[in-house]
Amino acid sequence: MASEFQRYKLTGMFHAFDADGNGYLDQEDFRALADRWGRLPRVAADPELAARVERVMLGWWDALYEAADTNGDGLVDMDEILAMVDRLPEMREAVTTTADTVFEAIDENGDGRISREEHRRLVEVWNGRPTDTTGVFELVDLDGDGFLSRAEFTELWAQFWISADPADPGNHLCGALAPAAGAAGA
């Protein structure tokens, strides 16, 4: 069962994915998400990466639909997502595979690390709109070197999706969470 903190975190994710704002997720919302990722410079320039990004994003719709659409209406609402939270730790391999693809999509210059600016683009693509990222990078740069390595990013991505602990820095990977949200799950 989702904690209040997970509810808060996943509600933000839900709204970021609900492209048409109808209060449900469906395949078209994930198509819109794949299209947002497809506009990133590195993805747009690399047909193989573009195909992989599309497969991953639409693959998550397939997994979500299969696991969460409990009433069979072809739509996934917030309650259905919250009901499947306990399954996410069992999906760690899929989460890690997604992290690898997202890392490559965001690592615009291909140097094997994500800079502060590349992270800002990640947050904005994730949210589908310009987003203030002031102070967020400092929360997620685990070793303080000014970049996110692939290993750091993978750990943060897994924390974002799986963690119920508000103290885990990965909860901020896709944008700052309000301080009250962190206290809600403590």
Side-chain angles (χ1 to χ4, degrees):
M1 186 69 186
S3 68
E4 284 302 310
F5 173 71
Q6 287 171 306
R7 174 180 289 276
Y8 176 83
K9 181 172 61 169
L10 292 174
T11 296
M13 179 277 311
F14 186 91
H15 292 301
F17 285 11
D18 185 11
D20 58 11
N22 68 355
Y24 297 94
L25 299 181
D26 61 27
Q27 188 173 30
E28 290 308 308
D29 291 318
F30 280 76
R31 166 67 53 207
L33 180 65
D35 289 348
R36 284 196 319 245
W37 284 93
R39 289 190 292 272
L40 287 168
R42 186 166 182 200
V43 178
D46 182 342
E48 185 277 325
L49 181 57
R52 198 169 71 203
V53 164
E54 183 173 318
R55 267 192 319 275
V56 165
M57 297 304 164
L58 296 179
W60 274 106
W61 164 251
D62 293 339
L64 181 62
Y65 173 73
E66 182 179 316
D69 184 20
T70 56
N71 63 6
D73 65 357
L75 304 170
V76 175
D77 64 25
M78 190 64 204
D79 289 336
E80 289 172 318
I81 284 183
L82 292 173
M84 72 166 280
V85 163
D86 294 334
R87 297 182 195 160
L88 288 174
E90 300 165 16
M91 302 173 78
R92 191 169 186 90
E93 185 176 336
V95 170
T96 300
T97 299
T98 301
D100 190 54
T101 299
V102 169
F103 184 92
E104 288 184 35
I106 291 297
D107 181 18
E108 188 173 318
N109 61 7
D111 67 354
R113 55 192 191 167
I114 294 175
S115 67
R116 179 184 307 274
E117 181 61 22
E118 289 167 332
H119 176 258
R120 183 193 58 76
R121 275 192 289 288
L122 162 74
V123 173
E124 291 186 350
V125 168
W126 176 263
N127 288 293
R129 59 182 161 62
T131 305
D132 181 13
T133 59
T134 304
V136 174
F137 194 79
E138 292 76 13
L139 296 172
V140 297
D141 182 10
L142 301 177
D143 62 9
D145 69 352
F147 296 94
L148 302 180
S149 69
R150 188 178 297 267
E152 278 176 302
F153 185 81
T154 300
E155 179 180 344
L156 294 163
W157 189 262
Q159 285 177 359
F160 179 83
W161 286 105
I162 297 170
S163 176
D165 182 353
D168 283 340
N171 291 312
H172 300 280
L173 183 63
C174 297
L177 295 177

